[in-house]
Amino acid sequence: MSHTPPHDTGATAPFIPDTYVPRSGSADYRVTHYDLDLDCRLGGNRLDGRATITAVALTELLRIGLDLSGLRASRCQVNGSKIARSTQKAGRLELHLHSPVPAGEEFTVEIRYGGVPNVRRGTWGEVGWEELQDGVLVAGQPNGAPTWFPCNDHPSQKATYRIRVNTDAGYRPVSNGKLVDRQRRSSRERWTYEVNEPMATYLATLQIGRYDLCSLAGTSAAAAGRHAGAPAPVPQLVAANSAALHRVAAALADQPRMMETFIEAFGPYPFADYTVVVTEDELEIPLEAHGISILGDNHLAPGWEQQRLIAHELSHQWFGNSLTVGSWKDIWLHEGFACYAEWIWSEAAGGPGADARARDAWDLLASLEQDIAVGDPGPADMFDDRVYKRGALTLHALRLAAGDRAFFAMLRAWTGSRRHGTVTYALFRDHVDAHLPLFPSAEAFLEPWLFGKTLPALPAPAAP
C-alpha cells in the first residue's frame, strides 16, 4: 500500500537517548510508516494484530529492536523473509537476522502478535491499554504505545499510520486521522483510519465504546483567516454514548470559541479536524492524542476547573501533538504551553486575565518547595504541577518583557516553523533569540526560569 511520506521536520529529527524512559526506542533505524491490522474481541479483552512497519536503517542492522509489552509475537519477517530468531523480555522484542540490512536501506518488518493487553505499571502509574466497563481506552503517554502494537517508542520518531480495527458490531472504535473505510460483516465491523501527518507513537490511540458521533459548530472563517478565501472552519466532533450527548454538548459549548482563540494566538489548527471522546467511566485526568482528546464522564461538570481542562487538552494539538519534544526532559514545552493556554482562554472568556492567573500561580509556587528544575525535572517529576505552572510563568515572563504583539508573533512563528516536527529547549531558545529583543540573550532570560530552582520575579510589563 502506498502512503504519504512523513514531513522532514518530524521524520529526520535526531534520536536523543532518553534517560526518562531508557529502555524505550532505538537509534538504529527510523520508522516512516506503521500499517496496523487489529482484531479486538471485547468480551475477553483479546487483541490480535499484524503490524507491517516500514523503516530506514540508520546503521547496519544485524538485529532489530522494538518495544512490545504484554503481547506475544508469534511470527516475524523482515523484507518478506523469515528471521533467524526472535526474543522477548522486559517489554522489548529483538529480531535476529540471517543477513544484515545495510545502512541507508529501506526495509519492512511484519509482526503477527496477540494476547490479552493490559496497562504498564511504573513511575507514572498505569499507562497503555485499559479495559473499561464496556470498551477500551488507550493512554499512551509516555510509554503506553507498546501495550497494543510493536513500535520504535520514542517521541522523536514520528511516522504516518494506517490503523484497521475489527471489533464487535455496535461499538465504534475511534482512532487518529481520517476514517476512510467501514465495513460490516455479520457480528463484526471493520474500521480503517489513515494518518498522513507524522505522529509520535505515544499519540497513537484507540478508544472503543458504544459511541455515537456528532458535530459541534466549527470555528468561524473570520477567526481562522480574517480575509477573503480564509480556511474553512475546523470540524469539531464528539464521540459519546447517545444518552450523554446532550450533557456533552452543553459541557463543550465554549469549545468552538476556544478554537478561535487559540487559532488567533497560536496560528492555524494543525490537523484536519478535532474529536473529543467522552467515556462512560470516570477518568483521573483527561488525555490527549493526535487530533483527539479523551475526557471522562466526570469532566462534564460546569465551572472553571472543567473548562480549563477542555482548553488545556485542545491546546495540546499545537503543543505536544504537532510540535513534539525530542526527549521527555523538555516536557515543559508541552505542559507549560498548555497551562498558559488555560490562562489565555480565561482572559478571552471574560474571567481573570492571564496576568492575574499568572500572579496567583506565582504566589502558589513561591509557597511550595522549590527543588526541581522544570527544564529537566527528572522522570519522577515530569508531570509535577510545578512543571506546568512554572513553564506557563516562563511564557508569561516572556510576554511581559516583549509585549503582546511581539510575543504572539513569536508563538505563531514557532508553531508554523516547527509544524508536525520535533522540538527541543535549544530550538526554542534560538527561536526566541531570533524573534524577541531580550537583553542580553534569550538564554540568560530563560535559564533562571527553567533551570534554576529559586523562583524568579515576574518582570515589569513592556512599554506599549
Side-chain angles (χ1 to χ4, degrees):
M1 173 184 170
S2 64
H3 58 271
T4 303
H7 302 212
D8 285 345
T9 53
T12 59
F15 184 101
I16 304 169
D18 202 320
T19 58
Y20 288 24
V21 281
R23 291 187 296 274
S24 294
S26 171
D28 295 339
Y29 63 94
R30 173 172 58 86
V31 175
T32 58
H33 185 71
Y34 290 94
D35 195 310
L36 306 178
D37 205 334
L38 309 173
D39 187 83
C40 180
R41 297 188 177 273
L42 297 173
N45 188 36
R46 174 77 193 190
L47 179 66
D48 291 284
R50 181 183 65 193
T52 304
I53 301 169
T54 305
V56 176
L58 301 180
T59 187
E60 183 178 80
L61 299 176
L62 289 170
R63 65 180 185 176
I64 299 168
L66 297 119
D67 300 288
L68 184 63
S69 176
L71 300 169
R72 179 59 55 179
S74 58
R75 180 184 175 189
C76 306
Q77 294 184 322
V78 174
N79 291 334
S81 299
K82 292 182 179 180
I83 62 173
R85 64 188 176 93
S86 66
T87 57
Q88 277 190 258
K89 184 180 180 181
R92 293 288 291 176
L93 170 64
E94 297 285 341
L95 309 182
H96 300 260
L97 310 183
H98 286 293
S99 56
V101 177
E105 183 172 297
E106 183 178 84
F107 63 96
T108 61
V109 177
E110 183 180 315
I111 301 168
R112 293 181 183 269
Y113 62 99
V116 177
N118 205 343
V119 294
R120 302 180 84 171
R121 295 174 176 87
T123 304
W124 310 282
E126 298 181 344
V127 298
W129 181 286
E130 181 178 349
E131 185 180 14
L132 299 177
Q133 290 184 8
D134 192 22
V136 167
L137 175 147
V138 169
Q141 190 181 34
N143 62 343
T147 63
W148 63 290
F149 68 102
C151 55
N152 189 356
D153 191 29
H154 189 281
S156 70
Q157 302 305 292
K158 291 186 162 188
T160 57
Y161 285 69
R162 189 201 64 124
I163 302 171
R164 176 180 289 166
V165 185
N166 286 281
T167 193
D168 306 54
Y171 289 81
R172 175 184 288 269
V174 179
S175 192
N176 314 92
K178 181 181 180 182
L179 178 65
V180 296
D181 187 53
R182 176 183 177 184
Q183 297 182 24
R184 179 160 183 168
R185 299 177 180 178
S186 185
S187 62
R188 308 283 289 165
E189 281 192 272
R190 185 178 71 185
W191 306 67
T192 304
Y193 291 85
E194 291 184 354
V195 181
N196 290 320
E197 310 93 359
M199 177 170 74
T201 48
Y202 85 91
L203 292 169
T205 198
L206 183 60
Q207 310 292 324
I208 304 177
R210 296 183 186 272
Y211 295 135
D212 287 339
L213 199 67
C214 69
S215 296
L216 289 175
T219 61
S220 70
R226 301 192 185 281
H227 58 78
V234 177
Q236 297 179 55
L237 307 171
V238 173
N241 182 282
S242 58
L245 281 175
H246 180 75
R247 284 196 309 124
V248 172
L252 298 178
D254 284 338
Q255 186 179 277
R257 283 206 302 134
M258 289 180 190
M259 181 72 82
E260 293 183 356
T261 299
F262 294 161
I263 286 172
E264 184 172 354
F266 308 142
Y269 179 74
F271 305 115
D273 55 31
Y274 179 59
T275 300
V276 176
V277 179
V278 180
T279 71
E280 291 186 82
D281 296 54
E282 293 191 356
L283 302 181
E284 183 179 354
I285 57 172
L287 310 168
E288 76 266 13
H290 181 104
I292 297 171
S293 291
I294 301 97
L295 306 179
D297 183 74
N298 52 310
H299 296 132
L300 302 182
W304 167 247
E305 184 60 24
Q306 310 310 325
Q307 290 303 303
R308 77 166 187 87
L309 292 175
I310 292 168
H312 184 103
E313 300 310 319
L314 172 57
S315 72
H316 270 312
Q317 302 307 318
W318 285 265
F319 306 109
N321 303 357
S322 176
L323 280 65
T324 309
V325 295
S327 64
W328 289 112
K329 68 182 180 65
D330 286 326
I331 187 68
W332 83 275
L333 288 169
H334 295 181
E335 301 301 351
F337 281 70
C339 182
Y340 197 57
E342 299 171 22
W343 303 348
I344 290 172
W345 168 243
S346 176
E347 190 169 283
D355 190 68
R357 295 280 185 193
R359 294 185 188 281
D360 285 346
W362 193 97
D363 290 343
L364 174 64
L365 292 182
S367 71
L368 300 176
E369 191 170 5
Q370 296 170 39
D371 60 352
I372 62 172
V374 301
D376 188 0
D381 290 324
M382 64 186 284
F383 298 115
D384 190 292
D385 192 53
R386 290 170 292 177
V387 175
Y388 293 50
K389 287 187 169 60
R390 187 152 162 178
L393 282 172
T394 302
L395 295 172
H396 192 65
L398 282 173
R399 180 179 176 181
L400 290 175
D404 281 12
R405 177 175 293 189
F407 173 77
F408 285 108
M410 179 274 294
L411 278 192
R412 290 188 291 269
W414 175 239
T415 62
S417 64
R418 306 307 304 178
R419 183 179 174 92
H420 303 314
T422 298
V423 293
T424 64
Y425 163 71
L427 286 173
F428 182 70
R429 176 201 63 207
D430 293 348
H431 180 85
V432 171
D433 246 339
H435 287 79
L436 298 183
L438 298 175
F439 180 82
S441 68
E443 183 166 13
F445 187 95
L446 294 170
E447 284 276 335
W449 284 99
L450 297 174
F451 300 101
K453 293 184 178 179
T454 301
L455 183 66
L458 283 168

